[in-house]
Amino acid sequence: MLCDLLCFSHLRWNFIYQRPHHLLSRYAQANRVFFIEEPLFDARTTDHYHITQINDTNLWVIVFHLEKDSQNKYVVERQRLLLSYLIEDMEIDEYMLWYYSPVALAYSDHLQAKLIVYDCMDELSAFRFAPPALQQKEKELMQVADIVFTGGYSLYEAKKDKHPRVYPFPSSIDKEHFEKARNNLSEPEDQKEIPHPRLGFYGVVDERFNIELLKEVSAAQPQWHFIIVGPFAKIDAETLPAGNNIHYLGSKSYNELPQYLSGWDVAIMPFALNESTKYISPTKTPEYLAGGKPVISASIKDVVEPYGNNGYVYIADTAEEFIAAANIALHNKDDNNWLQKVDAFLANISWDKTWNNMRLIIEKSLTKKFEITEQKKIKEYV
């Protein structure tokens, strides 16, 4: 019943492997997926698009390249034209639309899709440098979408009254991938000389990262070593704390993450509490736990419940709270009773289950739309 899918994303496919990758790669097991990124204004001559097939799968990544001087009122029309070329060139007939970026509705609102899905993984309007038109475009997308998924329960609470069919799907996990970290994997070259105890973080270092907390804790505990894995975005790297016990290792691939996680004593999520973190549901929470590591997190709502309230994760916001939690975590890092409880919880979570549940909702909606269309045809005929 499913068909080709056109996905419009604010994320680059090759940036960090996260929610869109897990879901769309599963969709692509049976149907074609066209992942359309935000445009680049780097075309030297005429506007064009570049398409890349991912590892001989049913998934293609598309980037629109627009002329450098095209940042004007005709940008939307140019993207609309390139989108039409893509649909014609790839012989895309019946299709669904899947949005991560509501802004893309501006140049795709003419398409006649079998179904429109809005997977609202974050409250993007709260992020730094969010496009001014984002909130208005989300309102418009809510009006035309058939289904809305949310990336967590707090985001669901914020969106549930804005659409009749909103479904929460918090961050999930590829357990087998991260359970490898329990096997004392060989140390990566850039980590193996870092002394223990190690407190590690992987992910994007941006406005959601609590710079001051890292600065205070690392200064107060010089014997602890903090390992930060991931790219910097939307912040000045010069503002990040520096010290002999802070190690910025840069971006790593999804496949490399268990190798780094394996060598840590404690995994951390030192998020700032601000508008950009109000509705997040960090995927790294269950990933860290699957790796068998004790976790310290800021009091992010979707981490506190269910992870903090059930004793799976330590919650700390201040330097004093963080240090106290780390001391306990380091002492209890080989707690088998805790790990058994964690494993029992994680047994009910997987990206396969998440996708299967999403697919059932999608198929039910497609069937309902088809039945309504057929009923209209019958009435018109009669």
Side-chain angles (χ1 to χ4, degrees):
M1 181 179 290
L2 298 185
C3 54
D4 288 343
L5 183 147
L6 297 172
C7 173
F8 302 94
S9 178
H10 61 291
L11 299 169
R12 301 287 174 191
W13 185 264
N14 290 329
F15 183 51
I16 283 187
Y17 200 93
Q18 49 189 304
R19 180 185 181 94
H21 302 74
H22 287 292
L23 297 175
L24 299 180
S25 62
R26 284 165 172 77
Y27 191 105
Q29 290 175 2
N31 301 90
R32 295 192 301 175
V33 173
F34 300 92
F35 186 86
I36 302 169
E37 299 182 351
E38 292 185 334
L40 295 176
F41 296 91
D42 61 355
R44 294 185 178 181
T45 54
T46 59
D47 299 341
H48 62 278
Y49 72 82
H50 183 266
I51 183 167
T52 304
Q53 188 175 11
I54 303 299
N55 300 326
D56 294 323
T57 66
N58 281 329
L59 199 150
W60 284 263
V61 173
I62 295 91
V63 181
F64 294 160
H65 295 269
L66 305 180
E67 290 185 59
K68 292 182 180 179
D69 63 348
S70 62
Q71 297 190 49
N72 53 43
K73 64 180 180 180
Y74 300 111
V75 168
V76 169
E77 288 74 11
R78 292 184 177 199
Q79 291 179 88
R80 193 189 302 272
L81 184 60
L82 289 176
L83 180 58
S84 297
Y85 288 155
L86 170 69
I87 291 173
E88 181 180 354
D89 294 343
M90 297 303 294
E91 298 180 349
I92 302 170
D93 185 14
E94 293 188 332
Y95 52 85
M96 286 173 44
L97 301 180
W98 186 290
Y99 288 88
Y100 285 107
S101 173
V103 174
L105 185 65
Y107 67 87
S108 59
D109 57 359
H110 64 294
L111 298 179
Q112 300 298 311
K114 290 184 67 177
L115 201 74
I116 299 176
V117 177
Y118 176 28
D119 188 14
C120 182
M121 62 180 286
D122 285 305
E123 186 62 87
L124 295 180
S125 62
F127 283 21
R128 188 175 295 177
F129 308 134
L134 182 56
Q135 288 184 319
Q136 178 58 36
K137 284 302 174 187
E138 184 182 69
K139 289 180 182 178
E140 294 175 17
L141 180 55
M142 284 286 196
Q143 292 174 355
V144 299
D146 297 290
I147 300 169
V148 177
F149 298 135
T150 65
Y153 290 107
S154 59
L155 197 52
Y156 167 76
E157 291 296 326
K159 304 295 182 183
K160 67 179 183 180
D161 295 329
K162 298 180 179 180
H163 192 280
R165 290 172 296 282
V166 182
Y167 305 89
F169 283 99
S171 297
S172 199
I173 183 177
D174 180 354
K175 285 192 290 291
E176 292 183 0
H177 182 64
F178 288 95
E179 282 177 345
K180 299 172 187 175
R182 302 187 186 191
N183 299 327
N184 295 318
L185 302 177
S186 60
E187 288 273 23
E189 286 297 319
D190 56 355
Q191 181 172 281
K192 68 180 183 180
E193 300 300 328
I194 298 175
H196 290 265
R198 297 171 179 167
L199 293 84
F201 167 90
Y202 62 69
V204 183
V205 181
D206 56 16
E207 73 269 27
R208 295 170 293 178
F209 194 84
N210 194 332
I211 295 173
E212 288 304 314
L213 180 63
L214 176 60
K215 183 178 180 179
E216 290 181 41
V217 175
S218 62
Q221 302 292 326
Q223 75 280 15
W224 294 350
H225 286 261
F226 296 84
I227 298 172
I228 311 299
V229 172
F232 304 148
K234 297 181 287 184
I235 62 170
D236 184 355
E238 297 296 323
T239 65
L240 295 173
N244 293 330
N245 62 336
I246 305 177
H247 312 270
Y248 300 103
L249 304 187
S251 296
K252 307 299 174 184
S253 71
Y254 181 74
N255 288 334
E256 292 176 293
L257 294 181
Q259 196 173 1
Y260 284 86
L261 179 60
S262 181
W264 300 348
D265 299 292
V266 177
I268 61 174
M269 297 192 295
F271 289 114
L273 299 180
N274 54 36
E275 285 300 309
S276 66
T277 60
K278 187 176 181 180
Y279 300 109
I280 64 172
S281 176
T283 305
K284 59 181 63 62
T285 313
E287 292 173 352
Y288 285 165
L289 292 173
K293 303 300 177 183
V295 180
I296 305 173
S297 172
S299 57
I300 301 301
K301 187 175 180 180
D302 281 11
V303 178
V304 172
E305 178 58 44
Y307 298 99
N309 289 341
N310 287 294
Y312 308 136
V313 169
Y314 299 93
I315 303 298
D317 291 316
T318 67
E320 292 76 15
E321 291 171 346
F322 189 99
I323 291 169
N327 278 317
I328 297 172
L330 287 168
H331 183 264
N332 296 334
K333 65 179 182 177
D334 297 319
D335 186 346
N336 286 327
N337 289 330
W338 165 80
L339 194 56
Q340 288 177 7
K341 293 178 182 178
V342 165
D343 286 344
F345 177 81
L346 295 180
N348 297 315
I349 303 174
S350 75
W351 282 115
D352 284 338
K353 288 183 178 180
T354 296
W355 169 242
N356 285 334
N357 289 332
M358 284 182 168
R359 180 178 53 81
L360 290 174
I361 294 170
I362 291 169
E363 289 179 345
K364 183 177 180 180
S365 296
L366 282 168
T367 300
K368 186 175 181 179
K369 284 195 74 173
F370 176 79
E371 291 173 350
I372 291 173
T373 301
E374 290 301 303
Q375 288 172 2
K376 286 182 179 179
K377 288 180 180 179
I378 293 172
K379 288 181 180 179
E380 291 175 357
Y381 179 77
V382 173

